Amino acid sequence: MSNKSENRSKGIQGEDEAAKYLQKKGYKILFRNYCVGKLEIDLICRNEKHIVFVEVKKRHSKAYAPPWEAVNKKKQKNIMLAAHVYLKKADTLLEPRFDIVSIIEDGQNVLQIDHFEDAFWPMA
């Protein structure tokens, strides 16, 4: 398996774990891997008050920086651009929110999942 396909497979596993975690918290998953051109949102979900755009980051060790730190300003901007396109098409009155789900595992087991609600906001 190539590095690219191996990384994609790990990304899908992280998104699966994040989706299960969010569903247990009462979120409804609307879309996975929502794409607008080359831009992508890992998960789009909703709860009673919000339409939530979720970036999932996963690491296989605690030896490196926390996964959520990889969601830099450029990544945030790209997520917001894709979310803007989604919201123009969607029929929703729910307030948008941008979250990060950060997952650390030891190769076999999930050691930690952190859900950062309102992790970042649209920039002017």
Side-chain angles (χ1 to χ4, degrees):
M1 186 182 298
S2 72
N3 260 359
K4 190 172 184 176
S5 59
E6 185 177 327
N7 287 344
R8 183 68 202 126
S9 176
K10 289 177 183 177
I12 291 169
Q13 290 172 354
E15 291 161 10
D16 288 344
E17 292 159 358
K20 286 182 211 168
Y21 176 84
L22 292 169
Q23 286 172 321
K24 286 180 185 173
K25 289 180 75 172
Y27 290 76
K28 180 179 181 195
I29 307 301
L30 303 176
F31 289 97
R32 292 183 59 149
N33 306 114
Y34 180 82
C35 292
V36 176
K38 292 185 177 186
L39 306 177
E40 180 189 5
I41 300 171
D42 292 332
L43 300 171
I44 300 177
C45 50
R46 60 169 291 177
N47 62 17
E48 290 180 16
K49 296 180 183 177
H50 298 96
I51 185 89
V52 186
F53 303 95
V54 182
E55 176 65 11
V56 179
K57 288 296 179 189
K58 182 176 176 179
R59 296 278 183 264
H60 299 282
S61 168
K62 286 188 172 187
Y64 304 102
W68 58 267
E69 284 187 4
V71 186
N72 59 30
K73 294 291 183 197
K74 181 179 179 183
K75 182 69 174 171
Q76 292 174 22
K77 181 180 177 187
N78 288 340
I79 293 166
M80 287 184 266
L81 288 170
H84 179 73
V85 171
Y86 174 84
L87 289 169
K88 284 176 77 173
K89 295 178 182 178
D91 183 23
T92 183
L93 297 174
L94 296 173
E95 184 178 334
R97 191 177 79 199
F98 298 90
D99 291 6
I100 299 171
V101 173
S102 176
I103 301 169
I104 299 173
E105 70 171 22
D106 65 2
Q108 300 292 336
N109 302 304
V110 173
L111 301 175
Q112 181 177 337
I113 296 181
D114 294 305
H115 178 197
F116 298 94
E117 296 179 4
D118 277 322
F120 53 93
W121 302 273
M123 297 172 241

PDB file of all heavy atoms in Angstrom, residues 22-41:
ATOM      1  N   LEU A  22     -19.269  11.427  18.175  1.00  0.00           N
ATOM      2  CA  LEU A  22     -20.256  12.506  18.069  1.00  0.00           C
ATOM      3  C   LEU A  22     -21.681  11.972  18.114  1.00  0.00           C
ATOM      4  O   LEU A  22     -22.561  12.590  18.725  1.00  0.00           O
ATOM      5  CB  LEU A  22     -20.011  13.309  16.789  1.00  0.00           C
ATOM      6  CG  LEU A  22     -18.714  14.127  16.785  1.00  0.00           C
ATOM      7  CD1 LEU A  22     -18.430  14.667  15.389  1.00  0.00           C
ATOM      8  CD2 LEU A  22     -18.777  15.260  17.805  1.00  0.00           C
ATOM      9  N   GLN A  23     -21.929  10.828  17.487  1.00  0.00           N
ATOM     10  CA  GLN A  23     -23.268  10.231  17.532  1.00  0.00           C
ATOM     11  C   GLN A  23     -23.654   9.886  18.967  1.00  0.00           C
ATOM     12  O   GLN A  23     -24.799  10.084  19.361  1.00  0.00           O
ATOM     13  CB  GLN A  23     -23.330   9.003  16.633  1.00  0.00           C
ATOM     14  CG  GLN A  23     -23.360   9.377  15.167  1.00  0.00           C
ATOM     15  CD  GLN A  23     -23.225   8.188  14.238  1.00  0.00           C
ATOM     16  OE1 GLN A  23     -22.469   7.262  14.503  1.00  0.00           O
ATOM     17  NE2 GLN A  23     -23.964   8.216  13.148  1.00  0.00           N
ATOM     18  N   LYS A  24     -22.705   9.396  19.756  1.00  0.00           N
ATOM     19  CA  LYS A  24     -22.989   9.107  21.169  1.00  0.00           C
ATOM     20  C   LYS A  24     -23.345  10.369  21.936  1.00  0.00           C
ATOM     21  O   LYS A  24     -24.060  10.312  22.929  1.00  0.00           O
ATOM     22  CB  LYS A  24     -21.787   8.423  21.830  1.00  0.00           C
ATOM     23  CG  LYS A  24     -21.614   6.985  21.418  1.00  0.00           C
ATOM     24  CD  LYS A  24     -20.410   6.360  22.098  1.00  0.00           C
ATOM     25  CE  LYS A  24     -20.180   4.957  21.590  1.00  0.00           C
ATOM     26  NZ  LYS A  24     -18.927   4.372  22.097  1.00  0.00           N
ATOM     27  N   LYS A  25     -22.836  11.514  21.471  1.00  0.00           N
ATOM     28  CA  LYS A  25     -23.148  12.795  22.100  1.00  0.00           C
ATOM     29  C   LYS A  25     -24.442  13.402  21.551  1.00  0.00           C
ATOM     30  O   LYS A  25     -24.803  14.510  21.909  1.00  0.00           O
ATOM     31  CB  LYS A  25     -21.988  13.786  21.897  1.00  0.00           C
ATOM     32  CG  LYS A  25     -20.747  13.442  22.698  1.00  0.00           C
ATOM     33  CD  LYS A  25     -19.630  14.440  22.467  1.00  0.00           C
ATOM     34  CE  LYS A  25     -19.886  15.745  23.186  1.00  0.00           C
ATOM     35  NZ  LYS A  25     -18.730  16.672  23.126  1.00  0.00           N
ATOM     36  N   GLY A  26     -25.119  12.688  20.657  1.00  0.00           N
ATOM     37  CA  GLY A  26     -26.404  13.153  20.151  1.00  0.00           C
ATOM     38  C   GLY A  26     -26.358  13.890  18.826  1.00  0.00           C
ATOM     39  O   GLY A  26     -27.373  14.419  18.375  1.00  0.00           O
ATOM     40  N   TYR A  27     -25.215  13.919  18.173  1.00  0.00           N
ATOM     41  CA  TYR A  27     -25.108  14.572  16.869  1.00  0.00           C
ATOM     42  C   TYR A  27     -25.601  13.639  15.768  1.00  0.00           C
ATOM     43  O   TYR A  27     -25.436  12.428  15.854  1.00  0.00           O
ATOM     44  CB  TYR A  27     -23.648  14.938  16.562  1.00  0.00           C
ATOM     45  CG  TYR A  27     -23.093  16.042  17.416  1.00  0.00           C
ATOM     46  CD1 TYR A  27     -22.725  15.823  18.736  1.00  0.00           C
ATOM     47  CD2 TYR A  27     -22.907  17.315  16.888  1.00  0.00           C
ATOM     48  CE1 TYR A  27     -22.193  16.831  19.517  1.00  0.00           C
ATOM     49  CE2 TYR A  27     -22.381  18.340  17.667  1.00  0.00           C
ATOM     50  CZ  TYR A  27     -22.028  18.090  18.983  1.00  0.00           C
ATOM     51  OH  TYR A  27     -21.515  19.089  19.744  1.00  0.00           O
ATOM     52  N   LYS A  28     -26.168  14.225  14.739  1.00  0.00           N
ATOM     53  CA  LYS A  28     -26.560  13.471  13.549  1.00  0.00           C
ATOM     54  C   LYS A  28     -25.546  13.781  12.453  1.00  0.00           C
ATOM     55  O   LYS A  28     -25.318  14.952  12.129  1.00  0.00           O
ATOM     56  CB  LYS A  28     -27.962  13.866  13.089  1.00  0.00           C
ATOM     57  CG  LYS A  28     -28.385  13.107  11.859  1.00  0.00           C
ATOM     58  CD  LYS A  28     -29.781  13.459  11.407  1.00  0.00           C
ATOM     59  CE  LYS A  28     -30.089  12.603  10.185  1.00  0.00           C
ATOM     60  NZ  LYS A  28     -31.206  13.055   9.446  1.00  0.00           N
ATOM     61  N   ILE A  29     -24.933  12.754  11.891  1.00  0.00           N
ATOM     62  CA  ILE A  29     -23.956  12.938  10.822  1.00  0.00           C
ATOM     63  C   ILE A  29     -24.710  13.150   9.511  1.00  0.00           C
ATOM     64  O   ILE A  29     -25.515  12.309   9.107  1.00  0.00           O
ATOM     65  CB  ILE A  29     -23.008  11.719  10.704  1.00  0.00           C
ATOM     66  CG1 ILE A  29     -22.357  11.384  12.056  1.00  0.00           C
ATOM     67  CG2 ILE A  29     -21.958  11.962   9.617  1.00  0.00           C
ATOM     68  CD1 ILE A  29     -21.538  12.470  12.691  1.00  0.00           C
ATOM     69  N   LEU A  30     -24.457  14.266   8.845  1.00  0.00           N
ATOM     70  CA  LEU A  30     -25.119  14.594   7.588  1.00  0.00           C
ATOM     71  C   LEU A  30     -24.264  14.221   6.380  1.00  0.00           C
ATOM     72  O   LEU A  30     -24.774  13.705   5.396  1.00  0.00           O
ATOM     73  CB  LEU A  30     -25.454  16.087   7.535  1.00  0.00           C
ATOM     74  CG  LEU A  30     -26.327  16.620   8.672  1.00  0.00           C
ATOM     75  CD1 LEU A  30     -26.491  18.125   8.544  1.00  0.00           C
ATOM     76  CD2 LEU A  30     -27.683  15.919   8.670  1.00  0.00           C
ATOM     77  N   PHE A  31     -22.972  14.522   6.459  1.00  0.00           N
ATOM     78  CA  PHE A  31     -22.043  14.230   5.363  1.00  0.00           C
ATOM     79  C   PHE A  31     -20.685  13.848   5.928  1.00  0.00           C
ATOM     80  O   PHE A  31     -20.274  14.344   6.975  1.00  0.00           O
ATOM     81  CB  PHE A  31     -21.835  15.452   4.451  1.00  0.00           C
ATOM     82  CG  PHE A  31     -23.010  15.801   3.618  1.00  0.00           C
ATOM     83  CD1 PHE A  31     -23.894  16.791   4.021  1.00  0.00           C
ATOM     84  CD2 PHE A  31     -23.250  15.156   2.414  1.00  0.00           C
ATOM     85  CE1 PHE A  31     -24.991  17.137   3.251  1.00  0.00           C
ATOM     86  CE2 PHE A  31     -24.352  15.489   1.637  1.00  0.00           C
ATOM     87  CZ  PHE A  31     -25.221  16.475   2.058  1.00  0.00           C
ATOM     88  N   ARG A  32     -20.004  12.996   5.171  1.00  0.00           N
ATOM     89  CA  ARG A  32     -18.598  12.677   5.441  1.00  0.00           C
ATOM     90  C   ARG A  32     -17.818  13.061   4.205  1.00  0.00           C
ATOM     91  O   ARG A  32     -18.260  12.838   3.089  1.00  0.00           O
ATOM     92  CB  ARG A  32     -18.434  11.185   5.711  1.00  0.00           C
ATOM     93  CG  ARG A  32     -19.084  10.771   7.024  1.00  0.00           C
ATOM     94  CD  ARG A  32     -18.851   9.320   7.292  1.00  0.00           C
ATOM     95  NE  ARG A  32     -17.416   9.080   7.355  1.00  0.00           N
ATOM     96  CZ  ARG A  32     -16.849   8.161   8.106  1.00  0.00           C
ATOM     97  NH1 ARG A  32     -17.571   7.379   8.840  1.00  0.00           N
ATOM     98  NH2 ARG A  32     -15.549   8.002   8.099  1.00  0.00           N
ATOM     99  N   ASN A  33     -16.669  13.657   4.410  1.00  0.00           N
ATOM    100  CA  ASN A  33     -15.784  14.049   3.309  1.00  0.00           C
ATOM    101  C   ASN A  33     -16.506  14.895   2.270  1.00  0.00           C
ATOM    102  O   ASN A  33     -16.474  14.593   1.082  1.00  0.00           O
ATOM    103  CB  ASN A  33     -15.145  12.817   2.668  1.00  0.00           C
ATOM    104  CG  ASN A  33     -14.453  11.950   3.684  1.00  0.00           C
ATOM    105  OD1 ASN A  33     -14.866  10.832   3.917  1.00  0.00           O
ATOM    106  ND2 ASN A  33     -13.425  12.462   4.316  1.00  0.00           N
ATOM    107  N   TYR A  34     -17.143  15.938   2.725  1.00  0.00           N
ATOM    108  CA  TYR A  34     -17.836  16.876   1.836  1.00  0.00           C
ATOM    109  C   TYR A  34     -16.774  17.675   1.077  1.00  0.00           C
ATOM    110  O   TYR A  34     -15.923  18.329   1.684  1.00  0.00           O
ATOM    111  CB  TYR A  34     -18.730  17.803   2.662  1.00  0.00           C
ATOM    112  CG  TYR A  34     -19.480  18.809   1.837  1.00  0.00           C
ATOM    113  CD1 TYR A  34     -20.658  18.450   1.206  1.00  0.00           C
ATOM    114  CD2 TYR A  34     -19.020  20.111   1.697  1.00  0.00           C
ATOM    115  CE1 TYR A  34     -21.365  19.372   0.441  1.00  0.00           C
ATOM    116  CE2 TYR A  34     -19.717  21.033   0.943  1.00  0.00           C
ATOM    117  CZ  TYR A  34     -20.882  20.662   0.310  1.00  0.00           C
ATOM    118  OH  TYR A  34     -21.590  21.564  -0.442  1.00  0.00           O
ATOM    119  N   CYS A  35     -16.811  17.603  -0.252  1.00  0.00           N
ATOM    120  CA  CYS A  35     -15.784  18.239  -1.079  1.00  0.00           C
ATOM    121  C   CYS A  35     -16.359  19.372  -1.911  1.00  0.00           C
ATOM    122  O   CYS A  35     -17.449  19.259  -2.466  1.00  0.00           O
ATOM    123  CB  CYS A  35     -15.149  17.215  -2.014  1.00  0.00           C
ATOM    124  SG  CYS A  35     -14.179  15.985  -1.143  1.00  0.00           S
ATOM    125  N   VAL A  36     -15.583  20.424  -1.998  1.00  0.00           N
ATOM    126  CA  VAL A  36     -15.846  21.550  -2.882  1.00  0.00           C
ATOM    127  C   VAL A  36     -14.530  21.772  -3.628  1.00  0.00           C
ATOM    128  O   VAL A  36     -13.585  22.316  -3.069  1.00  0.00           O
ATOM    129  CB  VAL A  36     -16.232  22.818  -2.096  1.00  0.00           C
ATOM    130  CG1 VAL A  36     -16.412  23.994  -3.035  1.00  0.00           C
ATOM    131  CG2 VAL A  36     -17.462  22.592  -1.248  1.00  0.00           C
ATOM    132  N   GLY A  37     -14.450  21.286  -4.858  1.00  0.00           N
ATOM    133  CA  GLY A  37     -13.174  21.328  -5.567  1.00  0.00           C
ATOM    134  C   GLY A  37     -12.145  20.520  -4.791  1.00  0.00           C
ATOM    135  O   GLY A  37     -12.376  19.357  -4.472  1.00  0.00           O
ATOM    136  N   LYS A  38     -11.049  21.165  -4.436  1.00  0.00           N
ATOM    137  CA  LYS A  38     -10.000  20.490  -3.660  1.00  0.00           C
ATOM    138  C   LYS A  38     -10.165  20.681  -2.151  1.00  0.00           C
ATOM    139  O   LYS A  38      -9.387  20.158  -1.371  1.00  0.00           O
ATOM    140  CB  LYS A  38      -8.620  20.989  -4.089  1.00  0.00           C
ATOM    141  CG  LYS A  38      -8.255  20.572  -5.490  1.00  0.00           C
ATOM    142  CD  LYS A  38      -6.843  20.977  -5.831  1.00  0.00           C
ATOM    143  CE  LYS A  38      -6.480  20.487  -7.221  1.00  0.00           C
ATOM    144  NZ  LYS A  38      -5.071  20.737  -7.531  1.00  0.00           N
ATOM    145  N   LEU A  39     -11.183  21.422  -1.756  1.00  0.00           N
ATOM    146  CA  LEU A  39     -11.437  21.664  -0.337  1.00  0.00           C
ATOM    147  C   LEU A  39     -12.299  20.538   0.218  1.00  0.00           C
ATOM    148  O   LEU A  39     -13.158  20.004  -0.470  1.00  0.00           O
ATOM    149  CB  LEU A  39     -12.145  23.003  -0.146  1.00  0.00           C
ATOM    150  CG  LEU A  39     -11.466  24.219  -0.755  1.00  0.00           C
ATOM    151  CD1 LEU A  39     -12.327  25.448  -0.536  1.00  0.00           C
ATOM    152  CD2 LEU A  39     -10.076  24.416  -0.190  1.00  0.00           C
ATOM    153  N   GLU A  40     -12.071  20.187   1.489  1.00  0.00           N
ATOM    154  CA  GLU A  40     -12.820  19.086   2.092  1.00  0.00           C
ATOM    155  C   GLU A  40     -13.144  19.387   3.545  1.00  0.00           C
ATOM    156  O   GLU A  40     -12.338  19.972   4.262  1.00  0.00           O
ATOM    157  CB  GLU A  40     -11.998  17.798   2.022  1.00  0.00           C
ATOM    158  CG  GLU A  40     -12.711  16.620   2.636  1.00  0.00           C
ATOM    159  CD  GLU A  40     -11.832  15.386   2.762  1.00  0.00           C
ATOM    160  OE1 GLU A  40     -10.640  15.463   2.459  1.00  0.00           O
ATOM    161  OE2 GLU A  40     -12.362  14.359   3.190  1.00  0.00           O
ATOM    162  N   ILE A  41     -14.332  18.959   3.937  1.00  0.00           N
ATOM    163  CA  ILE A  41     -14.735  18.988   5.349  1.00  0.00           C
ATOM    164  C   ILE A  41     -14.914  17.532   5.750  1.00  0.00           C
ATOM    165  O   ILE A  41     -15.659  16.786   5.116  1.00  0.00           O
ATOM    166  CB  ILE A  41     -16.044  19.770   5.550  1.00  0.00           C
ATOM    167  CG1 ILE A  41     -15.880  21.216   5.078  1.00  0.00           C
ATOM    168  CG2 ILE A  41     -16.467  19.721   7.025  1.00  0.00           C
ATOM    169  CD1 ILE A  41     -17.168  22.010   5.046  1.00  0.00           C
TER     170      ILE A  41
END
